[in-house]
Amino acid sequence: ELTSVPYILHQALCSTVFFGETRVFSEATLSRYIWPSPITSSNKKDRKKVLKKAMETLTINMCWKCAYSAGQWTLTRPSVMSL
């Protein structure tokens, strides 16, 4: 379900991105955090839509900064003080 995707992603990212840190992730890497099966031509478009919506939720509800460019996401985890 779409509503659980941002929370799964948040949990995975919190284990690799420290408070206040910025990291760049490929779409493929982020997809592996959510879906165990590989990206195929038939599911790529749908996964990209779900991932974009999850990033919007991370930004609005969880205070992450998310920016997309050329197949990669630049993600900044909020610092402790901004929470």
Side-chain angles (χ1 to χ4, degrees):
E1 184 176 315
L2 176 61
T3 56
S4 63
V5 170
Y7 301 101
I8 293 168
L9 196 54
H10 174 73
Q11 289 298 314
L13 292 171
C14 283
S15 69
T16 58
V17 182
F18 296 112
F19 287 107
E21 183 181 51
T22 299
R23 295 222 16 221
V24 178
F25 294 90
S26 69
E27 285 182 338
T29 298
L30 295 174
S31 291
R32 281 193 300 271
Y33 289 148
I34 303 165
W35 300 281
S37 60
I39 296 174
T40 64
S41 58
S42 63
N43 67 20
K44 185 175 183 173
K45 190 174 181 179
D46 290 336
R47 287 184 179 189
K48 192 171 184 171
K49 285 180 190 177
V50 170
L51 190 57
K52 182 179 180 196
K53 187 68 176 167
M55 292 303 176
E56 290 172 4
T57 302
L58 283 177
T59 300
I60 294 168
N61 296 343
M62 299 174 191
C63 301
W64 286 75
K65 292 181 183 170
C66 307
Y68 179 80
S69 178
Q72 296 192 328
W73 285 92
T74 302
L75 306 176
T76 303
R77 185 175 177 185
S79 66
V80 177
M81 294 300 189
S82 66
L83 297 175

